[in-house]
Amino acid sequence: MQLPKFVLADNSEFPDDIFVIHLDFPRFIINLKDDEVEFLEDLEGEDETELESEMEHLITLAGEFYDKEVAGYEE
């Protein structure tokens, strides 16, 4: 099965939060309300500088993905 790079998620227990889940490495969930990131796998041993740079880029892409999805619903 081929999975998308990002998916949207919400939860009634967190009514004000919007989550974007990144399904490629490194897998993570970002809460767009406060940009809190939770990794879904152990990243020990990864190059921290490279990972930090990649995460900045992925967080930007997650926000762009959300904006594009919401724009599609508004049309």
Side-chain angles (χ1 to χ4, degrees):
M1 171 189 338
Q2 190 171 14
L3 297 174
K5 187 171 192 160
F6 293 104
V7 293
L8 287 177
D10 65 0
N11 187 297
S12 61
E13 292 181 34
F14 306 95
D16 297 328
D17 297 3
I18 298 170
F19 302 96
V20 174
I21 303 168
H22 181 253
L23 297 172
D24 289 343
F25 182 83
R27 293 179 301 154
F28 63 87
I29 299 173
I30 181 170
N31 184 341
L32 294 181
K33 182 177 100 177
D34 57 13
D35 288 340
E36 185 176 347
V37 174
E38 182 73 29
F39 289 97
L40 301 175
E41 55 205 337
D42 182 16
L43 298 175
E44 242 180 79
E46 296 296 322
D47 181 333
E48 285 187 38
T49 305
E50 185 179 327
L51 183 61
E52 200 171 291
S53 174
E54 180 67 13
M55 285 306 299
E56 287 178 26
H57 177 67
L58 290 172
I59 288 170
T60 299
L61 290 177
E64 291 171 358
F65 166 76
Y66 171 76
D67 291 341
K68 183 178 137 222
E69 291 296 302
V70 168
Y73 289 122
E74 291 174 350
E75 291 178 1

